[in-house]
Amino acid sequence: MWRNTQVGWGVISIALHWLSASTIVGLFALGWWMTGLGYYDTWYNLGPWVHRSVGIVLFMATLARLVWRLTQPTPQGHGSRLEVLMAHLGHITLYVLLLFVMTTGYLISTADGGGISVFGWFEVPALVHGLPQQALIAGDLHWYSAWALMLLAVGHSLAALKHHLIDRHDTLLRMLKPTSR
Ligand code: HEM
Ligand code: HEM
């Protein structure tokens, strides 16, 4: 039930998938919204603080997710060999983009040498700072890679719906219901 098998996902993988997906969409919306706020808005500083804190927690969850993913069996893909290959490459790209978005977010935040306070619980030190135009370049990369991540996630969701509605595979259902074996 907790672990994955050759035919289905366990509770841990399912929980991490859906919690991450909703957090990513939330961070995208918050990031977009907060960068349009005026200086005197209450959320002008609070928004980025929440965005960075949630982003760091997501980063830690993603590292745990990758460790779990690499030490567990993975359910076999459905469809033609090409579809299975495309799905595999798509999933790897989602992980790579996710790590890239979070890294560039970190680089924007640490550009001036200050660490990142995570909900005031602990501080992540600024390991890289003072690179030429660090905040500006990391900011651009953050914005474009966040968009790429969202677009790929939309394609990924459509593929999941195609498996479910057209091919009648259990791909989506097994990401909702933990394997019983
Ligand atoms: C999947 C995770 C994330 C997504 C989808 C995301 C998305 C976004 C978006 C859409 C913006 C608006 C960009 C703009 O208008 O220029 C933004 C801004 C920002 N993000 Fe993220 N972000 C994520 C993670 C992080 C993390 C982990 C950090 C730092 C620890 C971070 C720090 C920032 C900062 C400081 C800004 C403000 C940039 C500015 O003022 O131009 N983000 N984010
Ligand atoms: C930001 C949004 C999302 C991201 C970043 C994301 C990311 C991922 C990743 C990386 C995997 C591969 C898991 C692995 O092999 O370790 C995966 C699997 C999966 N995702 Fe998503 N996902 C998102 C949203 C969604 C949505 C909205 C749906 C449904 C409509 C969905 C349905 C699935 C399904 C069914 C699988 C399992 C595929 C299989 O068993 O081969 N995902 N997702």
Side-chain angles (χ1 to χ4, degrees):
M1 181 190 174
W2 299 100
R3 302 170 68 88
N4 304 341
T5 66
Q6 300 287 343
V7 290
W9 300 98
V11 174
I12 306 224
S13 293
I14 294 179
L16 285 169
H17 175 268
W18 293 111
L19 283 173
S20 300
S22 41
T23 305
I24 292 162
V25 175
L27 281 175
F28 184 81
L30 175 59
W32 197 345
W33 175 72
M34 74 191 190
T35 44
L37 293 175
Y39 184 74
Y40 295 104
D41 197 294
T42 331
W43 280 87
Y44 183 78
N45 286 318
L46 194 56
W49 184 75
V50 172
H51 184 86
R52 289 189 298 263
S53 298
V54 174
I56 295 287
V57 173
L58 177 70
F59 177 68
M60 296 190 304
T62 305
L63 291 186
R65 182 178 177 188
L66 285 171
V67 170
W68 185 250
R69 168 67 169 80
L70 296 172
T71 53
Q72 288 282 299
T74 309
Q76 272 165 6
H78 295 308
S80 66
R81 272 176 64 184
L82 181 68
E83 265 182 298
V84 173
L85 179 71
M86 295 291 285
H88 194 57
L89 291 178
H91 294 159
I92 292 176
T93 313
L94 280 169
Y95 281 129
V96 170
L97 272 173
L98 186 52
L99 291 173
F100 188 81
V101 173
M102 294 186 294
T103 307
T104 51
Y106 171 81
L107 289 175
I108 311 172
S109 314
T110 55
D112 64 2
I116 301 174
S117 157
V118 179
F119 292 118
W121 300 332
F122 60 95
E123 189 162 301
V124 180
L127 299 174
V128 185
H129 52 88
L131 298 176
Q133 311 241 49
Q134 181 172 331
L136 195 74
I137 294 171
D140 279 353
L141 292 174
H142 193 62
W143 170 244
Y144 289 116
S145 56
W147 262 106
L149 175 63
M150 294 318 287
L151 291 179
L152 186 59
V154 170
H156 166 78
S157 311
L158 291 176
L161 290 177
K162 185 224 173 226
H163 276 294
H164 185 70
L165 299 171
I166 299 177
D167 303 329
R168 308 265 171 195
H169 294 148
D170 71 344
T171 317
L172 180 57
L173 292 179
R174 74 182 185 186
M175 196 29 115
L176 292 165
K177 189 174 173 296
T179 175
S180 52
R181 274 192 282 151

